[in-house]
């Protein structure tokens, strides 16, 4: 069985819900994970914000506006009076439920309940729509099987057992619809898998039922081999290794968060990224297969700051790097790239909130230099060190560009360059020409 996840943008309007319904009704039994309609989770966060600030009036105004929007969606989505009434009733009850939280103390627990309503409504709407169309669709409530443990990590044993039980309750269903994102925690309270968590839900379900494939449907094309906004002639990437996808995740290529696909990776289930706007396009397949000797993609990340700490004390000393890293850690600033020499170390950060304090502390250990407005360029592919020629080709593309740092060997799938933000366009184009267009 396959698991298909549709994000908020893919169920963002009545029209889009109809498209999804068309896509999923092919006679094959499947589990469909849905996000809240786009914008809803953000609005629920805003409502919660008013309630935290003890402003029920402000909250109510937004609740009413959101409810009115849903009433219009319902009117547009269904053709029969029967289903219009049923869906309107579900929408009304969820909004009344949200309103009941405007009266009392509002804490983190109540917020989780409010946030859960978006997915509960979108799944009920799509389920009713499918039934109106005569499709054998059944809702399986995520709150009955999706659970985290005491460390707030998903509990795969519980999920597997309870999900199976839910599926067995309705064995004839063709399509099982469930909510992404929402779950219960170890204490049985309503909780969630963090923003964007619907992908995580799909991956956990895929692993739990040993799915043949997990499909993540969104409103854009799968991965491209370079940034189409910057570079001419980009091509879709048809296939990525899980590790390659993880490398790219940092680079704003808003593909799946590595945590979200980990369950699929461990269970060895391929994840396919597909585009709701262009459903016949092959999309991008992410799996544990490596394409030998192939460079897959180039990606860039701006707003990078490089910090160099140079000290003759580093020579032959031990514990120097630990001291340096501890300073970053104490300011909750994560380091991305690292390059070392015998007497110096350069690191990059993308969060400069505590830059001044960090620099102050680093000066205890050496001479400190800072370069801002830098950009990391990352080349991803089969870059196993025993392959020859690939690093040379990447380096050769950078021949006219001042390169501040190079990092290779951290994984088998990556080589990164740190350059000036101003040189990004030329660098990306040069890499594209050198790596992907060589005849
Ligand atoms: P939502 O987060 O609202 O549930 P999606 O998860 O489908 O909906 O997508 C959220 C946003 O992220 C959309 O605006 C979409 O265009 C963008 N997005 C999704 N996948 C990618 C990707 N591979 N590369 C860049 N942007 C993406
Ligand atoms: N609706 C949730 C969010 O917007 C979960 C998701 O879309 O994945 O974060
Ligand atoms: Mg999403």
């Amino acid at each position: 069985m396959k698991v298909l996840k549709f994000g908020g943008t893919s169920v963002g309007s009545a029209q889009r819900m109809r498209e999804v319904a068309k896509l999923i009704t092919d006679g094959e039994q499947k589990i469909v994970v849905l996000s809240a309609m786009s914008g809803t989770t953000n609005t629920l966060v805003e409502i919660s914000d008013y309630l935290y600030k003890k402003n029920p009036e402000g909250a109510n105004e937004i609740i009413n506006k959101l409810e009115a929007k849903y009433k219009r969606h319902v009117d547009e989505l269904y053709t029969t009076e029967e289903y219009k009434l049923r869906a309107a009733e579900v929408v009304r009850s969820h909004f009344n439920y949200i309103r009941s939280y405007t009266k009392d103390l509002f804490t983190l627990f109540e917020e989780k309940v409010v946030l859960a309503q978006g997915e509960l409504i979108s799944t009920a709407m799509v389920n009713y729509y499918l039934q109106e169309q005569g499709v054998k669709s059944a809702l399986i409530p995520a709150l009955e099987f999706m659970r985290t443990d005491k460390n707030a990590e998903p509990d795969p044993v519980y999920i597997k057992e309870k999900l199976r039980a839910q599926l067995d309750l309705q064995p004839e269903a063709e399509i099982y619809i469930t909510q992404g994102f929402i779950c219960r925690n170890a204490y049985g309270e309503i909780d969630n898998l963090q923003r964007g968590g619907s992908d995580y839900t799909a991956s956990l379900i895929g692993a739990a039922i040993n799915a043949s494939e997990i499909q993540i449907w969104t409103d854009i094309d799968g991965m491209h081999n370079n940034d189409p906004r910057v570079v001419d002639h980009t091509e879709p990437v048809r296939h990525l290794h899980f590790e390659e996808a993880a490398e790219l995740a940092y680079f704003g290529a808003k593909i799946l968060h590595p945590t979200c696909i980990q369950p699929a990776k461990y269970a060895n289930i391929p994840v396919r990224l597909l585009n709701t706007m262009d459903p016949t396009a092959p999309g991008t397949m992410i799996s544990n297969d490596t394409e030998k000797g192939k460079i897959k993609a180039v990606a860039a990340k701006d707003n990078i700051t490089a910090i160099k700490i140079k000290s003759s004390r580093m020579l032959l000393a031990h514990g120097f790097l630990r001291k340096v890293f501890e300073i970053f850690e104490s300011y909750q600033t994560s380091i991305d790239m690292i390059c070392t020499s015998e007497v110096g170390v350069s690191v990059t950060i993308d969060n400069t909130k505590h830059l001044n304090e960090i620099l102050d502390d680093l000066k205890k250990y050496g001479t400190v230099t800072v370069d801002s407005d830098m950009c990391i360029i990352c080349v991803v592919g089969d870059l196993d060190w025993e392959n020859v020629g690939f690093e040379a080709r990447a380096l050769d593309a950078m021949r006219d560009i001042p390169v501040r740092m190079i990092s290779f060997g951290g994984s088998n799938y990556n080589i990164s360059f740190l350059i000036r933000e101003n040189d990004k366009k030329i660098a990306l184009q040069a890499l594209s020409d050198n790596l992907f267009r060589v005849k």
Side-chain angles (χ1 to χ4, degrees):
M1 192 151 58
K2 286 182 185 160
V3 179
L4 286 73
K5 177 258 175 177
F6 292 86
T9 45
S10 303
V11 291
S13 65
Q15 177 57 29
R16 304 243 39 91
M17 283 185 174
R18 278 195 287 265
E19 304 279 338
V20 167
K22 235 187 276 165
L23 279 172
I24 61 182
T25 43
D26 55 3
E28 260 183 57
Q29 197 177 44
K30 54 176 71 67
I31 300 182
V32 175
V33 177
L34 300 178
S35 296
M37 294 180 83
S38 62
T40 298
T41 309
N42 284 344
T43 309
L44 296 171
V45 169
E46 204 184 335
I47 291 166
S48 304
D49 207 33
Y50 276 103
L51 295 175
Y52 275 125
K53 298 193 164 99
K54 301 195 174 51
N55 179 356
E57 216 175 298
N60 268 314
E61 206 178 306
I62 305 175
I63 296 170
N64 293 342
K65 237 198 256 163
L66 189 65
E67 183 173 17
K69 205 155 105 183
Y70 271 90
K71 280 187 179 147
R72 289 196 294 276
H73 292 317
V74 166
D75 261 344
E76 203 189 321
L77 182 57
Y78 306 93
T79 40
T80 61
E81 275 316 303
E82 184 196 344
Y83 276 95
K84 272 188 211 254
L85 281 172
R86 279 199 202 183
E89 182 46 40
V90 167
V91 167
R92 187 167 45 240
S93 72
H94 282 285
F95 277 92
N96 284 342
Y97 193 50
I98 297 172
R99 273 190 203 93
S100 73
Y101 284 88
T102 61
K103 303 199 172 71
D104 295 314
L105 180 72
F106 198 81
T107 70
L108 215 62
F109 301 109
E110 285 76 20
E111 177 175 23
K112 301 268 175 65
V113 179
V114 167
L115 290 194
Q117 304 309 308
E119 270 74 9
L120 290 169
I121 301 175
S122 65
T123 47
M125 284 172 69
V126 170
N127 184 47
Y128 275 153
Y129 178 71
L130 288 164
Q131 291 182 351
E132 189 185 45
Q133 300 297 305
V135 180
K136 277 198 243 151
S137 163
L139 268 185
I140 46 169
L143 298 179
E144 297 293 327
F145 65 84
M146 195 48 71
R147 189 174 276 244
T148 53
D149 61 18
K150 290 206 165 93
N151 303 316
E153 296 292 338
D155 178 343
V157 178
Y158 183 98
I159 296 168
K160 188 171 176 173
E161 184 190 321
K162 299 290 179 177
L163 173 59
R164 188 70 261 161
Q166 285 296 319
L167 297 174
D168 288 345
L169 282 178
Q170 312 183 70
E172 315 80 45
E174 179 193 330
I175 296 179
Y176 295 100
I177 306 272
T178 193
Q179 300 81 22
F181 175 60
I182 65 176
C183 64
R184 285 187 193 274
N185 59 27
Y187 312 98
E189 296 151 351
I190 293 185
D191 209 322
N192 61 58
L193 300 168
Q194 316 274 331
R195 294 305 305 273
S198 298
D199 295 334
Y200 204 5
T201 303
S203 169
L204 289 163
I205 291 180
I209 63 159
N210 195 19
S212 55
E213 181 173 308
I214 298 164
Q215 299 184 346
I216 305 290
W217 288 81
T218 182
D219 63 338
I220 61 150
D221 258 344
M223 279 298 305
H224 276 245
N225 64 4
N226 209 324
D227 189 338
R229 293 165 306 184
V230 181
V231 166
D232 301 329
H233 312 293
T234 65
E235 302 269 339
V237 180
R238 296 266 183 262
H239 183 242
L240 284 174
H241 189 275
F242 278 113
E243 301 281 336
E244 293 169 336
E247 297 282 2
L248 287 166
Y250 175 72
F251 290 87
K254 243 190 115 182
I255 72 169
L256 306 167
H257 192 285
T259 322
C260 293
I261 40 176
Q262 214 168 51
K265 182 185 163 184
Y266 287 154
N268 199 18
I269 298 169
V271 176
R272 200 190 283 274
L273 306 180
L274 290 153
N275 182 0
T276 2
M277 303 296 184
D278 185 7
T280 55
T284 304
M285 173 77 112
I286 307 173
S287 74
N288 279 319
D289 299 334
T290 313
E291 284 177 273
K292 271 279 154 237
K294 204 163 165 201
I295 305 284
K296 299 296 180 55
V298 177
K301 189 165 168 76
D302 295 336
N303 282 319
I304 303 292
T305 301
I307 303 166
K308 177 158 72 193
I309 307 104
K310 198 167 64 67
S311 167
S312 47
R313 274 192 278 166
M314 187 172 163
L315 188 69
L316 303 177
H318 50 76
F320 181 82
L321 287 178
R322 180 177 55 78
K323 286 183 199 140
V324 167
F325 292 157
E326 264 172 8
I327 293 173
F328 288 88
E329 189 187 348
S330 66
Y331 293 104
Q332 284 106 50
T333 301
S334 62
I335 294 171
D336 298 310
M337 266 176 93
I338 306 168
C339 288
T340 62
S341 85
E342 285 311 317
V343 291
V345 53
S346 276
V347 302
T348 70
I349 59 172
D350 59 14
N351 168 6
T352 51
K353 197 164 151 215
H354 297 291
L355 181 61
N356 288 334
E357 293 105 304
I358 290 171
L359 295 180
D360 246 13
D361 286 5
L362 286 174
K363 282 177 188 157
K364 285 187 217 141
Y365 299 112
T367 314
V368 182
T369 332
V370 178
D371 294 292
S372 27
D373 300 321
M374 306 296 283
C375 165
I376 300 180
I377 305 269
C378 143
V379 177
V380 165
D382 177 24
L383 286 155
D384 192 295
W385 70 276
E386 289 181 321
N387 294 346
V388 293
F390 296 97
E391 331 55 294
R393 255 160 68 197
L395 266 170
D396 187 44
M398 310 298 269
R399 80 184 86 87
D400 298 322
I401 298 161
V403 175
R404 167 73 179 77
M405 285 164 72
I406 300 174
S407 176
F408 176 66
S411 86
N412 284 346
Y413 298 95
N414 167 280
I415 176 164
S416 296
F417 299 96
L418 186 74
I419 60 169
R420 285 195 197 101
E421 232 171 75
N422 286 340
D423 293 326
K424 173 171 98 172
K425 194 175 158 54
I426 319 175
L428 286 181
Q429 189 69 60
L431 282 165
S432 234
D433 296 344
N434 246 36
L435 298 174
F436 305 128
R437 308 192 69 211
V438 179
K439 299 280 150 5

